[in-house]
Amino acid sequence: MRKIITIGESVLDTIFKDNVPMKSFVGGRVANAACSLALSGIETLMVSECANDHVGDIIVDFLKRNKVDVTSVDRYVNGTTAFSAIFESDNHEPQLVNYGTYPPDRFDVVWPRINEDDIVLFGSLYSIENAQRSRLYEILQYAFDRKALVLYLPGFECRLGYSITKVMPNILENFELADVVIGDAADMRDIFPNEDGEKCYR
């Protein structure tokens, strides 16, 4: 039976207003997509990493409660789970600060079994950062070779301080690997500034 393998970051988002924490929740569009898919009754696995700490427990417990298979979530011991502080500003444009430390040997995950016609969904910042890029690419190439359907959600946010010129090779490589690219207007504006929809597509 067809299953869905999702690959993305495991992060806890906390919203601050006037420097006071207001709400915390598991963030990342891929992780939340995994939960939505699993709750709809589809077998869904999450491939990710988070530390063996309290924040990591919150994230993994959230995934489990939402029926996501976490067999391929690496619980590393030499570091801390990613934490994203979101500060609301006067102009309503959120300011993000990311925290978290990773071991030198990144993305040491148990590879999921990928069969023909399975769906592999990957994206966001996790798919463009060089720290885990080589191992992530190996899994995506494996999915391609196994004739899985590969979906890419770019999710590049220039406000996080990433230089588009530095990560563009990885983004373009992701486009090449994907059968389908799913992005909204904000994604495309960040990746292709000052271009219209037709030019982005081409």
Side-chain angles (χ1 to χ4, degrees):
M1 183 176 179
R2 170 179 273 188
K3 62 183 179 295
I4 299 179
I5 297 97
T6 59
I7 308 173
E9 61 262 31
S10 295
V11 60
L12 186 69
D13 289 340
T14 299
I15 296 178
F16 290 80
K17 187 172 183 179
D18 297 326
N19 293 326
V20 176
M22 305 300 292
K23 180 171 65 171
S24 290
F25 51 90
V26 174
R29 65 175 68 184
V30 174
N32 283 284
C35 293
S36 296
L37 291 163
L39 286 174
S40 71
I42 302 170
E43 181 183 358
T44 306
L45 297 84
M46 183 75 181
V47 182
S48 188
E49 58 186 342
C50 58
N52 189 21
D53 59 12
H54 290 301
V55 176
D57 290 343
I58 291 170
I59 293 169
V60 170
D61 289 346
F62 173 80
L63 293 170
K64 286 180 178 178
R65 285 198 312 273
N66 286 282
K67 305 186 185 307
V68 177
D69 185 330
V70 296
T71 305
S72 293
V73 175
D74 177 36
R75 301 297 304 274
Y76 56 86
V77 293
N78 297 318
T80 56
T81 302
F83 174 88
S84 181
I86 305 169
F87 297 94
E88 291 189 354
S89 59
D90 293 338
N91 62 3
H92 302 292
E93 183 69 24
Q95 298 174 346
L96 283 76
V97 182
N98 290 326
Y99 301 91
T101 56
Y102 295 94
D105 193 20
R106 286 286 305 272
F107 204 56
D108 188 22
V109 300
V110 175
W111 280 30
R113 173 74 179 176
I114 300 177
N115 299 316
E116 185 173 348
D117 291 332
D118 280 348
I119 297 172
V120 175
L121 173 67
F122 77 105
S124 298
L125 299 178
Y126 210 70
S127 66
I128 60 173
E129 292 177 327
N130 286 323
Q132 71 276 1
R133 176 69 190 175
S134 61
R135 289 186 176 175
L136 172 63
Y137 182 83
E138 288 174 2
I139 294 179
L140 294 174
Q141 188 62 57
Y142 169 63
F144 179 83
D145 293 341
R146 296 287 292 172
K147 297 182 172 57
L149 180 67
V150 180
L151 308 182
Y152 175 42
L153 284 71
F156 171 78
E157 296 185 68
C158 57
R159 67 181 184 225
L160 294 180
Y162 287 80
S163 167
I164 188 64
T165 56
K166 290 182 179 178
V167 298
M168 184 58 91
N170 291 345
I171 292 175
L172 295 177
E173 193 172 57
N174 291 341
F175 285 162
E176 290 292 330
L177 283 168
D179 296 294
V180 179
V181 177
I182 304 171
D184 60 20
D187 292 331
M188 295 302 104
R189 282 195 301 269
D190 286 341
I191 297 170
F192 303 106
N194 305 316
E195 299 286 1
D196 61 26
E198 180 66 19
K199 287 183 179 179
C200 288
Y201 174 78
R202 295 194 179 281

